Amino acid sequence: MLQFFQSFPLDLLLIQTVNGIVSGLILALVASGLTLIFGIMDVVNFAHGELFMLGAYLGVVVLATTGSFWLALIVATLIVAILGAAMQIVTLRPLIGRDPLNTILVTFGISLILQNFALWEFGPVARKLPEPITSYFTLFYLQYPWYRIVIAGLSAAIIGGFWLFLKYSKFGVWIRATTQDRVMAQAMGIPVPWVYTGVFAIGAAMAAASGVLFGPLGSINHTMGLDWVLKAFIVVVVGGMGNLGGSIAAAIFVSLLESYAAIWLDPSRAVIVSFVVLILTLLFRPTGLFVPTPK
Amino acid sequence: MTTAPFDKAMPLGKGKLSHTAVYWIGFCAVMAVLIVAPLVLPIFWAKFLTEILIWGLLAMSSDLLIGYTGMISFGHSAFFGLGMYGAAGALLQTHPPNLWLAILAGLGGAAGAALFVAYFSTRLRDIYFAITTLIFSQIFYVIIFTWTAVTGGENGLIFTRPHFSLPFLVDMRFNVLTMHWFVLALVAGSYLLLRRITRSPFGMVLQSIRENEARTRAIGYPVERYKIVAVMLSGLFAGLAGVLYAVQNEFAAPDFVFFVTSGDTVIFNVIGGIGTLVGPIVGAGFFQLLRELMSRVFGEQFPYLIPLGFIFIAIIIFLPQGLLGFARRWLNR
C-alpha cells in the first residue's frame, strides 16, 4: 500500500490536472452552445459537432489567406454564425410546434451534409492549425505551452461574456423570457422566431470558436464532429439537461477524469471513462449530477 | 351496436374484396416478384436486391421503436454489429461452420447488447433516449475496435460461408439464388412476426406509449418494462439482419458497428415512412438505389450523402409520413 503511494506520480497528476481543465473548458464552450440551443428551443443540435469542425476548417482557410490566427478566429466564428442562422431559418423554423424528435432528425441530416461537404472540399487528409503563441513555461520537467492556458482563459471568458450578455443585454432578457414561457413572451411582443434564430446563431458561433481554438491542439478532419458532439452529449446528460452551469461543471469533471485515466490507460481507451460516468449517472441520478435534487 | 348489421352489409359490395383479401393478395404478389427477381436479374443486381432486403430487415426492426413506440434509436449499429460478430465468432469456432449456430450466436450477441442498452437508456425519454442509444453503440464500437485479440480490430474477421444444412435432409452450398431465397424467407418471416407483434395487445400498449406515455402509465401499464421488451425485440431483429449480412458477405467489420449504420437505419425509416413496417424496406431500397445510381453517374468518389441529406431534410419537412405514409392506416388495419 505504502509502495503504491510512494510510486504515485504526483507531478504527472498535476500536469494532467492542468490538461484536464484546459480541455474541459473547451468542451464546456462546445457543450454550452448545445445546452443553450436545447434549453431554449428544445432542439438537440446533432450538427453541433459539424459546426465545430467547420469552424476549425474555416480557421485553416482564413489563416492561410490572411496569416493572422486571431482574425481567423473572428472570421470563422462569424461565418459559422451566419450559416447557423440560415440553417435555422430554412430547416428548423418550419418545424416549430412539431414533435421535438423531428428536430434531431433534421439536424442529423444537416450534419450528414456538412460532414460530406468537408470531405469533398478538404479531402480525407487531416489538416493542422499552427499555434499562434509559441512560448512555453516550465511545469516540473515539462515545457508547457502558454497557448493552452490562453485557450482555457479565452473559453472561460467567452462563457462568462455570454453569461453577462444573457443577464444584462436586451436580447439576453428576450432569450430568458422565451425560455420561461414562449407563448407569453410572444404576447408581450418579443419576436420569438428571431430569438430562436439568434440563439441558434450564437450556439453555432460558440461551436465554431471552440473549433478554431482547439485546432492547434489536434488534427482537423471531417469526422472530428462526431467525437465532439458525443462528448458534448455526455456532458449535457451528466450535467443535467438544459442546465448551463451543470454542463460547464460536468465538462470539466469529465475531462479531468479522462486525463487522469490517460495516465494509466491508452488514450483511445480513456474515452471509456466518460462512458462509465454516463452509465453511473443514469443509474443513480438520471436528472444529472450537477443540479439540485428535484423535489 | 345498432350499426352492426349495417356494417356487415356495406363493405362487401358486389365485386369488392375485403381488406384482408387485398392485403394478402398484395403480399403474395410482392413475394412472387421477389422470388422470381433473382432468376431474371443479372448477378450483381440479384446480390443488390438481397442486400436491400437485409437493410430492410434492419430498418424494420428499428421501426418497431421509432414508428410504434415513439423512441428514436440512434444505436442500432450496436445490435447489427453484435449480430455480425456473434455469427463470425460461431463460424470461426465450429468445424464445419454451422449456419444455425451462427444465427443463434448472433442473436445471442445482439440480445446481450440490447439488454444492456435497454436497461439503461429506457430510463430516459425522447431526445435523451436517442442520445444515450448513440453513446452506448459507440461504447460497443470502441470495445470492438480496440479489442484486437478477439475481434480482429480494424481488420475485422473473415470466414467462409457456411452450408445450408438441415440434419439428415439437405446439406448444400449457398449460391446467389439460394442465398437470396434464404434471406427472403427470413425477412418475410420477420415481417409477418413483427406485424403480428405490432397488432397484438403488446403492440397496442407500445402504440399507446407513443401516443401518451403518462396516460399509459396512469392506466397501470409498467411502461418501463414494455419499453425494455420493445428495445430487446428490436435488437433481436437487428441482430438477425447483422447475421445475414455477415453470412452474405463473409466478413464482420468494425465499420458496421460505427454510428454510420445507425444513421442509415434512421434515414431508411424516415424516407420510407415510419410506423408501416413495409416503408422502411422501401426506404432502404430507395436509399441504396439512389446511392448506386449516383456513384455510377458521377463516379465512385461522389459524395452521395450530400444530395441524400437534402432529400432527407425535405422529406422530414414536407412529407413527414414518408414515401409510404399515405398507406400507413391501411397497412396497419
Side-chain angles (χ1 to χ4, degrees), chain B residues 198-212:
Chain B
T198 55
R199 290 150 63 95
S200 69
F202 171 77
M204 293 297 157
V205 176
L206 293 190
Q207 290 175 54
S208 107
I209 291 174
R210 175 191 70 196
E211 295 301 329
N212 194 333

Side-chain angles (χ1 to χ4, degrees), chain A residues 99-273:
Chain A
D99 191 337
L101 285 176
N102 279 313
T103 61
I104 197 173
L105 292 176
V106 158
T107 49
F108 167 62
I110 296 172
S111 83
L112 274 184
I113 295 172
L114 292 181
Q115 189 180 336
N116 284 281
F117 171 75
L119 175 63
W120 190 43
E121 183 68 30
F122 302 105
V125 184
R127 304 288 182 96
K128 265 295 292 163
L129 260 177
E131 295 186 13
I133 301 167
T134 44
S135 53
Y136 293 84
F137 66 96
T138 314
L139 187 67
F140 296 107
Y141 47 84
L142 211 72
Q143 293 290 306
Y144 203 82
W146 269 113
Y147 176 67
R148 295 193 172 210
I149 304 295
V150 172
I151 326 177
L154 259 178
S155 303
I158 295 175
I159 295 172
F162 175 66
W163 187 78
L164 289 176
F165 169 78
L166 268 187
K167 188 114 181 150
Y168 295 110
S169 78
K170 187 176 169 196
F171 197 75
V173 174
W174 284 1
I175 291 178
R176 284 187 292 135
T178 311
T179 319
Q180 280 184 6
D181 192 331
R182 182 164 67 93
V183 179
M184 200 57 178
Q186 186 125 37
M188 292 289 138
I190 294 174
V192 170
W194 290 106
V195 171
Y196 281 175
T197 308
V199 163
F200 204 88
I202 295 172
M206 286 166 105
S210 33
V212 181
L213 287 176
F214 170 78
L217 299 187
S219 65
I220 301 164
N221 58 49
H222 66 281
T223 55
M224 73 196 294
L226 186 68
D227 291 343
W228 280 88
V229 86
L230 265 183
K231 272 192 200 171
F233 278 156
I234 291 177
V235 161
V236 170
V237 173
V238 170
M241 295 125 196
N243 176 318
L244 198 61
S247 310
I248 295 165
I252 295 172
F253 176 67
V254 168
S255 298
L256 272 178
L257 281 185
E258 256 186 49
S259 50
Y260 289 145
I263 300 179
W264 292 283
L265 282 173
D266 180 64
S268 66
R269 289 194 184 167
V271 188
I272 300 222
V273 174

Side-chain angles (χ1 to χ4, degrees), chain A residues 38 42-44 46 90-92 94-95 98 100-106 108-110 112-113 116-117 120 226-227 229-230 233-234 236-237 241-242 268-269 271-272 275 278-279 282-284 286, chain B residues 70-72 74 116 119-121 123-124 126-128 130-132 134-136 138-139 142-143 146-148 258-259 262-264 266-267 270 301-303 305-306 309-310 312-313 316-318 320:
Chain A
F38 177 70
D42 260 352
V43 166
V44 171
F46 213 99
V90 174
T91 61
L92 289 170
L95 293 180
R98 282 216 225 148
L101 285 176
N102 279 313
T103 61
I104 197 173
L105 292 176
V106 158
F108 167 62
I110 296 172
L112 274 184
I113 295 172
N116 284 281
F117 171 75
W120 190 43
L226 186 68
D227 291 343
V229 86
L230 265 183
F233 278 156
I234 291 177
V236 170
V237 173
M241 295 125 196
S268 66
R269 289 194 184 167
V271 188
I272 300 222
F275 294 151
L278 175 81
I279 293 175
L282 288 182
L283 259 184
F284 297 111
Chain B
M71 310 193 286
I72 294 188
F74 268 108
F116 180 77
Y119 182 72
F120 290 106
S121 49
R123 288 158 185 264
L124 298 173
D126 300 339
I127 289 161
Y128 297 104
I131 297 172
T132 41
L134 165 59
I135 293 167
F136 282 125
Q138 284 306 100
I139 298 182
V142 170
I143 292 173
T146 54
W147 199 7
T148 314
F258 193 59
F259 166 68
S262 313
D264 285 354
V266 173
I267 299 175
V270 171
Q301 295 298 313
F302 184 73
L305 277 170
I306 295 179
F310 281 112
F312 177 73
I313 292 175
I316 294 169
I317 294 177
F318 300 112

